[in-house]
Amino acid sequence: MRKQIVAANWKMNLTLDEGAELVNEIFKGLPVLSEEKQVVIAPPYLHITQTAAQLTGIIDVHLGAQNCHHEASGAYTGEVSAAMLKSAEVEYVIIGHSERREYFKEDNAMIAKKVNQALINGLKVIFCCGEPLEIRDAGTQNAYVEKQIREGIFHLSEIQLNEVVIAYEPIWAIGTGRTATSAQAQDMHAHIRSVVAAKYEHEAGDNMTILYGGSCKPSNAAELFACPDVDGGLIGGASLKATEFLGIVEAMAFA
Ligand code: PEP
């Protein structure tokens, strides 16, 4: 059975105290999750050791990071390597988020290098893909997302691919309040699964966890997660409030 995940991407939000408080609030309301369901929290780098300490002994909640550098180490002032993340008990790293692609000019080649760094260092990858509005309006979103996936992760072996989760995040839905309909999400997730199945074994497509991201909230999570190819969500804005985030986790718990 493939994994289901609800992952929190805090982005550049929350002080250390606010982050600690949010994690405590999440713990208080966390529903019991079956074995194949997980929560991931990806705070800013500065929070990671604090959040790691809070997560000690908590089975259902896993630690993530929002990025890593594409080189192993060296003179890259202000950057953080995959090895550093691993040494701080990080398990997942988000790579290729549309905000990194747009504001930090990360292209598919750089993203592929980051994926390699993450995997070499024993991290699992949450690989983000998704089209801008003009591509959706032109109806060419399937080809656009397929190219991101081909150039970002299709150099991996099937064994390496087991350590990758894909997050489909249409850019026009991120932080806009405009969610993809469940039909739009299902269509794209089914497409992604078929692309993975065609490149690797059929089983690799079946086993791939594919998350939806883009204005996911408690009011739409249950409908999205009920889609057969949607295995949970990557959550931005709604992950900053415990009640909202827990509402989405509940939707996964009952999906
Ligand atoms: C995201 O940035 O990964 C995201 C899904 O953001 P939001 O939930 O705020 O749309």
Side-chain angles (χ1 to χ4, degrees):
M1 205 174 196
R2 60 181 181 252
K3 261 187 304 197
Q4 285 173 267
I5 297 175
V6 167
N9 174 11
W10 290 359
K11 309 191 184 184
M12 195 176 74
N13 292 295
L14 307 178
T15 63
L16 284 172
D17 284 351
E18 289 166 345
E21 174 65 19
L22 178 54
V23 170
N24 284 334
E25 290 299 312
I26 290 169
F27 285 167
K28 279 187 213 154
L30 201 67
V32 176
L33 296 175
S34 51
E35 208 183 314
E36 74 285 2
K37 300 187 184 193
Q38 295 183 356
V39 170
V40 174
I41 296 179
Y45 288 143
L46 194 64
H47 290 241
I48 279 173
T49 51
Q50 170 179 278
T51 310
Q54 287 184 284
L55 296 187
T56 305
I58 309 285
I59 301 164
D60 294 336
V61 187
H62 300 249
L63 183 59
Q66 299 173 21
N67 183 32
C68 69
H69 197 261
H70 59 278
E71 298 293 350
S73 64
Y76 300 102
T77 302
E79 291 295 323
V80 170
S81 71
M84 291 174 198
L85 296 178
K86 183 67 183 177
S87 73
E89 294 170 44
V90 169
E91 186 178 337
Y92 286 91
V93 58
I94 299 170
I95 293 180
H97 191 280
S98 62
E99 287 152 14
R100 300 244 22 123
R101 292 177 188 262
E102 184 180 349
Y103 305 138
F104 301 96
K105 306 290 169 244
E106 293 187 5
D107 60 13
N108 290 341
M110 181 190 283
I111 288 164
K113 284 187 177 181
K114 290 185 181 221
V115 168
N116 293 344
Q117 278 304 318
L119 296 177
I120 287 167
N121 286 286
L123 298 169
K124 298 187 181 98
V125 171
I126 299 177
F127 174 84
C128 299
C129 55
E131 79 286 355
L133 188 57
E134 61 273 21
I135 296 290
R136 170 63 60 169
D137 286 344
T140 53
Q141 65 274 7
N142 284 9
Y144 186 94
V145 168
E146 187 171 332
K147 184 172 179 347
Q148 290 178 318
I149 292 174
R150 283 190 185 287
E151 295 181 6
I153 57 174
F154 273 8
H155 60 286
L156 300 177
S157 70
E158 195 167 337
I159 289 173
Q160 289 175 309
L161 196 74
N162 284 331
E163 305 304 307
V164 177
V165 168
I166 295 176
Y168 167 59
E169 302 204 296
I171 297 170
W172 44 272
I174 295 181
T176 58
R178 181 180 164 189
T179 318
T181 64
S182 51
Q184 286 171 322
Q186 169 55 29
D187 280 356
M188 180 59 83
H189 284 225
H191 174 62
I192 292 171
R193 201 175 298 291
S194 72
V195 166
V196 173
K199 163 77 181 169
Y200 297 89
E201 296 293 311
H202 188 73
E203 238 192 338
D206 269 354
N207 292 341
M208 176 58 71
T209 295
I210 309 176
L211 310 181
Y212 168 79
S215 299
C216 187
K217 33 190 184 272
S219 57
N220 57 29
E223 188 182 334
L224 285 161
F225 298 170
C227 299
D229 288 300
V230 177
D231 305 312
L234 179 55
I235 317 298
S239 73
L240 297 172
K241 292 212 172 76
T243 47
E244 287 194 34
F245 186 63
L246 286 167
I248 297 169
V249 174
E250 290 259 340
M252 173 179 70
F254 295 112

